Amino acid sequence: MSNISSKSKTGGLAGVVAGRTAISSVGSEGTDLCYRGYSIRDLTKHASFEEVAHLLLRGALPTQRQIDTLGIRLQHNRELPNDMRRLLETLPASTHPMDVLRTGCSMLGCLEPEQSFEDQHIVAERLLGVFPSILLYWYHYHLDGKRIETATAAPSVAGHFLSLLHGQDPKALHEHALDVSLTLYAEHEFNASTFAARIATATLADFYSAITAAIGTLRGPLHGGANEAAMELMHRFATPEEAESGILDALAKKRLIMGFGHRVYKIRDPRSDVIKDLSSKLACADSDRRLFAVSEKIEKVMWEKKKLFPNLDFYSATAFRFMNIPTLLFTPIFVIARVAGWSAHVIEQRSDNKLIRPSAKYIGAAPRPFEPIKERKGAAS
Ligand code: COA
C-alpha cells in the first residue's frame, strides 16, 4: 500500500503517440502483447529468453547456429573487470541493488566505452551477460563477505542468475519459471524507462548513458519497483481474511495498491495469467500456499471493488518469492530482462533519429519588471 496519491492535474502523456516502433505492440485493444509480431503467449511457450533477446535486438527469430553463438558470447560476457569488482566492494552494503546496477552500468561505460555506434550490438550483449554478475558479486560480497566467481556453466541467463544467487544448480522448474519471467519482462513498448532510454539516445549520447537513464527511471514504485512493493504488501497479511479487510481499509483511504492497474491495459494484463499460473506451480511449501491464497484474495477484492486487475508485477512477486529470491532483487531482475528491450529501442532510435524535445504549456507568472534587491551588500552608494 502506498501513501502516494494517484491524482494528478496533468495527463502524464496518456494516449499521446510519442513515436513509431517496430519492436512491440500491445495490440489495437491493448490486450495482447506481441514482440515483433509474435504473441508473448507463443514466445513464453516455445522460445527461451535468449531467443527472445535475439528477436528483439536483430528483428527476427534466431537459427540454431545463431542462438548457440549468442549463448557462447553471453557466457563470455559474464566476466567482471577487476576495477568493477573493486567498485562493487566499495559501495555501501546499504545501497539499493537498483543503485548498484545503475552505478555498475555507468562504470562499465568508463571501463569499456562505446567507441562508435557500430559497437552497439556488442554493448547490448555485454550488458545482457554482465548484469547478473554485477548484482550478485555485490550481493555476496556484502552479505557474506564472499568474492564469488561470476563464471558459471549455466547456458541460460535464468540458470546463471539462480546458480550465482544460491551457489548451486537451480531446480528445472525454477529455471524455467525465471526464464519465462525474463521473457515477460523483456519489452513493453514506450513505457517510462524505455522512453527515458530513447530520449537519452536521441541526443546521440552513448549506449551506457541511455541504459543508465532507463535503470534510474525503472526504480520508482509506479514502474519497476511495484513488484517489491507488492511483496511487502502481501507480507503484511497472514490470512486471506486479513488481506480482505486490509485492502478494503486501504481503498477507503484512497491508497494505491501496488501491482494493480496499468496505463495501457484497461481490461487485463496479458502477462499476468502466464506468471500467475507459474506462481501457483511454484508454491510448494505450506507457507507458499498461504501466501498464494492471500494474493488471490487481494486480486478478488481489487476486481470486485475497483475493477482493477493484477499487472505483471503482482504475481511475479510471489513467483520470485517461491524461488527464494530476496525481495530487494525483484526490480533488478526486471533490469536483467528489460535491457533486451531497452537496447532494441536504442538501436531503433539511432536508425531514424530526431532529438526528442516536447513543449510545455506555461502556467507561471506573466512577464513582470525586474526589481533588484534593495540595499544590496557591497553595492556602490
Ligand atoms: N490501486 C488503487 N487504485 C488505483 C490503482 C491501484 N493500483 N491504479 C489505479 N487506481 C485508480 C486511481 O486511483 C484512479 O481512481 P479515480 O478515477 O477514482 O481517481 C483510477 O484507478 C485511474 O488511475 P490512474 O492513476 O489515472 O491510472 P494511470 O494510468 O495514471 O496509472 C498506474 C497507471 C500503473 C501508474 C497505476 O495503476 C498505479 O499506480 N498502479 C500501482 C503501481 C504499479 O503496479 N505499477 C506497475 C505498473 S506495470
Side-chain angles (χ1 to χ4, degrees):
M1 267 165 279
S2 165
N3 287 325
I4 304 162
S5 157
S6 61
K7 299 273 179 206
S8 163
K9 293 189 181 63
T10 58
L13 298 184
V16 173
V17 175
R20 290 149 53 95
T21 184
I23 300 170
S24 69
S25 151
V26 295
S28 55
E29 305 289 311
T31 51
D32 189 20
L33 177 60
C34 291
Y35 299 163
R36 300 216 183 257
Y38 299 104
S39 160
I40 45 133
R41 291 207 155 266
D42 289 335
L43 291 171
T44 50
K45 259 194 219 133
H46 305 297
S48 66
F49 170 66
E50 290 72 20
E51 288 168 56
V52 168
H54 178 104
L55 170 70
L56 293 170
L57 292 170
R58 307 277 175 175
L61 288 168
T63 60
Q64 187 59 49
R65 190 176 145 74
Q66 284 171 326
I67 203 61
D68 289 346
T69 53
L70 174 64
I72 292 167
R73 290 197 300 276
L74 292 183
Q75 275 185 318
H76 176 73
N77 286 343
R78 293 171 183 169
E79 281 298 315
L80 291 180
N82 284 336
D83 283 339
M84 178 69 83
R85 290 168 188 257
R86 275 194 286 278
L87 170 90
L88 295 170
E89 292 176 16
T90 314
L91 292 178
S94 59
T95 307
H96 191 286
M98 283 297 281
D99 300 340
V100 173
L101 285 181
R102 193 192 61 217
T103 306
C105 182
S106 190
M107 174 71 166
L108 205 65
C110 304
L111 298 175
E112 302 172 7
E114 187 186 20
Q115 303 292 353
S116 89
F117 286 1
E118 287 182 10
D119 290 348
Q120 56 189 359
H121 282 96
I122 296 174
V123 179
E125 289 179 9
R126 176 65 163 135
L127 293 172
L128 270 167
V130 84
F131 276 149
S133 305
I134 293 178
L135 179 70
L136 293 168
Y137 185 88
W138 170 85
Y139 179 78
H140 284 295
Y141 181 81
H142 290 283
L143 192 84
D144 40 41
K146 274 198 241 153
R147 291 188 164 102
I148 59 161
E149 276 313 317
T150 56
T152 69
S156 69
V157 173
H160 173 59
F161 177 89
L162 290 171
S163 305
L164 280 190
L165 176 62
H166 297 310
Q168 59 188 41
D169 291 344
K171 290 182 188 158
L173 176 61
H174 287 197
E175 184 171 350
H176 168 69
L178 187 59
D179 183 75
V180 168
S181 173
L182 294 177
T183 291
L184 293 174
Y185 270 121
E187 160 59 14
H188 211 210
E189 201 218 41
F190 272 33
N191 59 90
S193 55
T194 300
F195 198 49
R198 289 192 78 126
I199 290 172
T201 303
T203 68
L204 301 184
D206 69 293
F207 210 105
Y208 297 94
S209 297
I211 303 299
T212 305
I215 297 172
T217 309
L218 186 71
R219 192 186 187 308
L222 295 190
H223 192 7
N227 52 18
E228 291 178 26
M231 192 71 255
E232 282 155 21
L233 165 74
M234 284 183 253
H235 264 316
R236 290 185 207 168
F237 309 120
T239 62
E241 294 70 33
E242 268 184 37
E244 177 163 24
S245 66
I247 296 298
L248 289 174
D249 183 51
L251 290 177
K253 291 176 177 147
K254 301 260 177 246
R255 300 252 167 90
L256 278 178
I257 309 300
M258 294 305 177
F260 284 85
H262 202 272
R263 171 56 66 79
V264 176
Y265 301 124
K266 294 301 167 203
I267 304 167
R268 66 185 181 90
D269 181 336
R271 303 164 299 176
S272 177
D273 292 347
V274 180
I275 197 68
K276 181 178 176 183
D277 183 46
L278 276 171
S279 184
S280 123
K281 288 190 179 121
L282 289 162
C284 294
D286 285 351
S287 57
D288 295 351
R289 281 195 287 272
R290 267 197 305 278
L291 186 63
F292 194 75
V294 163
S295 63
E296 282 199 302
K297 177 60 89 176
I298 297 176
E299 179 184 0
K300 188 164 179 288
V301 175
M302 287 300 285
W303 183 252
E304 283 170 4
K305 296 294 162 191
K306 295 285 289 183
K307 290 286 169 282
L308 284 173
F309 50 84
N311 55 49
L312 172 61
D313 288 320
F314 190 67
Y315 282 106
S316 293
T318 50
F320 294 162
R321 163 67 44 187
F322 303 151
M323 287 183 246
N324 292 321
I325 298 174
T327 307
L328 272 179
L329 302 187
F330 287 7
T331 317
I333 291 176
F334 198 152
V335 173
I336 288 165
R338 186 58 62 86
V339 71
W342 290 333
S343 300
H345 280 273
V346 170
I347 293 165
E348 183 177 65
Q349 179 68 35
R350 284 175 171 181
S351 70
D352 182 23
N353 190 55
K354 185 148 176 84
L355 183 76
I356 299 171
R357 200 297 190 190
S359 305
K361 180 179 165 64
Y362 179 66
I363 55 164
R368 48 189 164 164
F370 178 75
E371 291 173 18
I373 300 172
K374 294 192 182 97
E375 296 152 20
R376 185 189 289 275
K377 274 191 205 146
S381 53

